[in-house]
Amino acid sequence: MKNMFSLFLNVSANTNAESRSPTRSQHRSRLRFCSLALIGALLAPVTQASSLAEGMAAFEADRYSEASRILRPLAEGGDVTAQFTMGYLYYMGVGVTQSKAQAVQWYTKAANQGDATAKYNLGYLYLYGDGVKEDRGRAIKLFREAAEKGQLLAMLGMGLVYETAKFSSPDYERALKWYRRADREGLRTASAEVRRLENWMRDRRRRVRGSKVNMRAEPNTRSSIVSKLNEPQNVFELSRSGDWVRIQLVDGQRQQGWLHKDFIRR
């Protein structure tokens, strides 16, 4: 039970996967909940109290009902490890009747005490509306707080949030910064994300030719102008429709629109 959550799955066995920006479903397949067993080193030592030690021993032995019975009063008394564990038990529905709403409550209690991994798990729930109303802003806030405390999965989560349309439009540069930070600080799976996004950005980088070029809302000359590009600049190619190219401005601008292919060069 405790090992059922792989933290991040491989992007793809397909060698062409690194040249594509992943879909929302692919992103979610890589962003996984932290199970208690996998982040045990981040939790308070179980030797701090015999009852906590007994509860954690029961958990490790898959005696979840016993673990819940022992840990619940500790969690109610404010023990952050017990609170996190109760959140996990309720989320998984082991030892207790499954209730994601209860899981949210216990993770919130642990997060309010500063537990970085509780913040990450809670951010995951808010990001996808899993057991709670979807709240992208709160998810991002929790991920960021957890990442700043050194939670490596939260760093990777920040990268995924910036890369997907969880913002008004993706911010690939910021996403890459977070992936690189997670990789630099020791998260092994982050290196694959760094390579994949670096390859995608390199393959999709284009240059707008000429000046005073109109970027349009739709792929036709009748569409409204969303921006005037007054000088040549770098863009990312996102997709094509006939002779039109959907682009996104780089260097943090993130604005998207359509240009005729004659204005684009590699």
Side-chain angles (χ1 to χ4, degrees):
M1 175 66 69
K2 294 186 290 297
N3 293 326
M4 72 173 295
F5 283 123
S6 60
L7 297 184
F8 287 85
L9 304 178
N10 292 330
V11 176
S12 174
N14 188 326
T15 57
N16 292 325
E18 292 192 348
S19 67
R20 298 193 299 270
S21 183
T23 64
R24 176 187 171 96
S25 62
Q26 289 171 324
H27 275 300
R28 187 168 185 181
S29 74
R30 298 206 309 280
L31 186 57
R32 288 302 185 210
F33 222 53
C34 281
S35 73
L36 189 66
L38 291 169
I39 53 81
L42 301 177
L43 299 176
V46 296
T47 56
Q48 62 181 307
S50 59
S51 54
L52 180 61
E54 291 170 2
M56 296 306 296
F59 177 89
E60 293 296 334
D62 296 346
R63 301 195 307 271
Y64 300 116
S65 295
E66 180 183 349
S68 173
R69 176 178 56 80
I70 296 171
L71 294 175
R72 185 183 300 277
L74 297 177
E76 291 172 345
D79 185 278
V80 67
T81 303
Q83 289 172 345
F84 184 98
T85 310
M86 291 303 299
Y88 176 80
L89 293 175
Y90 271 109
Y91 184 86
M92 294 298 299
V94 290
V96 296
T97 301
Q98 186 177 40
S99 170
K100 292 186 178 180
Q102 285 286 317
V104 169
Q105 290 183 22
W106 285 115
Y107 280 131
T108 299
K109 290 179 183 293
N112 287 343
Q113 294 200 68
D115 186 89
T117 306
K119 288 177 181 288
Y120 167 78
N121 277 10
L122 193 58
Y124 176 98
L125 297 179
Y126 276 107
L127 185 66
Y128 290 109
D130 191 3
V132 68
K133 184 178 179 180
E134 181 178 314
D135 188 334
R136 293 175 293 177
R138 189 164 186 180
I140 293 163
K141 180 177 182 291
L142 287 163
F143 276 170
R144 188 182 299 278
E145 289 175 355
E148 295 300 342
K149 282 178 168 285
Q151 221 293 337
L152 299 182
L153 290 173
M155 296 177 193
L156 205 57
M158 284 297 295
L160 290 170
V161 167
Y162 274 113
E163 188 180 354
T164 64
K166 284 295 180 181
F167 289 88
S168 57
S169 59
D171 189 331
Y172 300 111
E173 288 85 0
R174 286 189 182 183
L176 186 57
K177 286 180 181 178
W178 279 108
Y179 291 151
R180 285 172 172 167
R181 178 175 173 181
D183 183 34
R184 186 170 62 250
E185 297 195 21
L187 186 62
R188 289 180 298 175
T189 53
S191 60
E193 303 299 329
V194 171
R195 292 193 303 272
R196 175 189 56 76
L197 188 53
E198 284 180 338
N199 289 341
W200 185 90
M201 292 171 67
R202 182 184 61 249
D203 292 344
R204 294 302 185 103
R205 190 175 291 270
R206 305 288 186 265
R207 186 76 173 170
V208 176
R209 301 170 54 184
S211 59
K212 297 182 179 181
V213 178
N214 293 329
M215 185 165 68
R216 297 186 178 274
E218 301 294 337
N220 59 72
T221 56
R222 300 182 303 278
S223 177
S224 61
I225 298 172
V226 297
S227 182
K228 288 182 178 291
L229 308 183
N230 294 319
E231 59 185 7
Q233 58 185 283
N234 294 325
V235 298
F236 290 125
E237 177 180 327
L238 303 179
S239 61
R240 293 207 171 207
S241 177
D243 291 337
W244 290 80
V245 181
R246 183 167 174 259
I247 65 164
Q248 178 172 314
L249 306 183
V250 302
D251 302 327
Q253 298 180 67
R254 294 162 40 198
Q255 188 173 22
Q256 296 183 5
W258 293 86
L259 293 180
H260 192 274
K261 68 179 183 179
D262 291 344
F263 295 111
I264 300 293
R265 65 180 176 84
R266 290 181 178 273

